[in-house]
Amino acid sequence: MTSILILNGPNLNLLGTRQPDVYGKETLSDIEKLCKNKALKISIDVDFRQSNHEGILIDWIHASKDAFDGLIINAGAYTHTSIAIMDAIASVEIPTIELHLSDIKKRETFRHVSYIEFVAFDAIMGHGAAGYPMAIDRMVDHLNA
Ligand code: DQA
């Protein structure tokens, strides 16, 4: 069975109350439910995690090798700073989609830079919580192509 790891980075545990005008009203647990329902519908496995710590995200990426078929990552602010997360993804060579709730290319210029985009085959942004099931579909299409 296809198995996808969905990683969420710093501050995403605060979704629902964190700048809802930017990130939406759904909590991270609402989004997890969206992903689990989607996975059930299309008969795949999804493992959904969040950490505020760069090193933990990196450890999870390392452990994803041979354990998951694909990685969907909303790295939060680490998107714009973390060469280490980029290197971790490059090291395990797992098919990766970069995901954001907001459209980082239409926000402050410091958010236009993404290190994840160098190692991801696609990026989904600006669709709020709906972007998560969209990313799952995109990953499955990619894995089945
Ligand atoms: C984000 C965008 C990032 O710039 C920000 O730091 C986040 C969330 C998004 O999902 O829109 O924490 O990744």
Side-chain angles (χ1 to χ4, degrees), residues 8-12 15 18-19 22-23 73-80 98-104 107-108 110-113 124-126 128 132:
N8 296 280
N11 302 309
L12 293 168
L15 287 179
R18 176 193 181 198
Q19 297 176 272
V22 178
Y23 298 117
I73 182 163
N74 182 349
Y78 287 141
T79 303
H80 320 297
E98 174 183 3
L99 177 62
H100 302 284
L101 295 146
S102 63
D103 186 344
I104 59 171
R107 297 183 61 195
E108 305 95 321
F110 61 83
R111 292 185 206 273
H112 296 187
V113 175
I124 292 178
M125 56 183 78
Y132 281 74

Side-chain angles (χ1 to χ4, degrees), residues 88-101:
I89 295 170
S91 303
V92 296
E93 295 181 334
I94 188 167
T96 298
I97 293 178
E98 174 183 3
L99 177 62
H100 302 284
L101 295 146

Side-chain angles (χ1 to χ4, degrees), residues 1-143:
M1 190 186 267
T2 298
S3 179
I4 298 174
L5 177 62
I6 302 180
L7 291 186
N8 296 280
N11 302 309
L12 293 168
N13 55 312
L14 300 180
L15 287 179
T17 55
R18 176 193 181 198
Q19 297 176 272
D21 46 319
V22 178
Y23 298 117
K25 289 190 183 125
E26 294 87 352
T27 64
L28 195 62
S29 124
D30 294 335
I31 294 178
E32 178 171 10
K33 273 181 214 135
L34 274 182
C35 292
K36 294 282 182 187
N37 287 343
K38 178 80 195 171
L40 206 65
K41 226 185 235 172
I42 60 173
S43 303
I44 64 158
D45 270 339
V46 152
D47 193 331
F48 191 94
R49 303 180 199 171
Q50 188 273 336
S51 177
N52 292 323
H53 305 278
E54 190 175 20
I56 290 177
L57 293 164
I58 290 169
D59 287 344
W60 284 341
I61 292 166
H62 290 175
S64 73
K65 193 174 172 62
D66 301 326
F68 294 94
D69 301 297
L71 169 69
I72 295 170
I73 182 163
N74 182 349
Y78 287 141
T79 303
H80 320 297
T81 61
S82 183
I83 295 171
I85 290 179
M86 175 187 74
D87 281 350
I89 295 170
S91 303
V92 296
E93 295 181 334
I94 188 167
T96 298
I97 293 178
E98 174 183 3
L99 177 62
H100 302 284
L101 295 146
S102 63
D103 186 344
I104 59 171
K105 303 294 181 184
K106 291 188 177 151
R107 297 183 61 195
E108 305 95 321
T109 46
F110 61 83
R111 292 185 206 273
H112 296 187
V113 175
S114 167
Y115 287 103
I116 310 295
E117 77 184 14
F118 294 108
V119 288
F121 70 82
D122 209 348
I124 292 178
M125 56 183 78
H127 299 280
Y132 281 74
M134 281 171 67
I136 293 174
D137 273 335
R138 191 78 60 88
M139 180 61 77
V140 169
D141 285 351
H142 176 85
L143 295 171

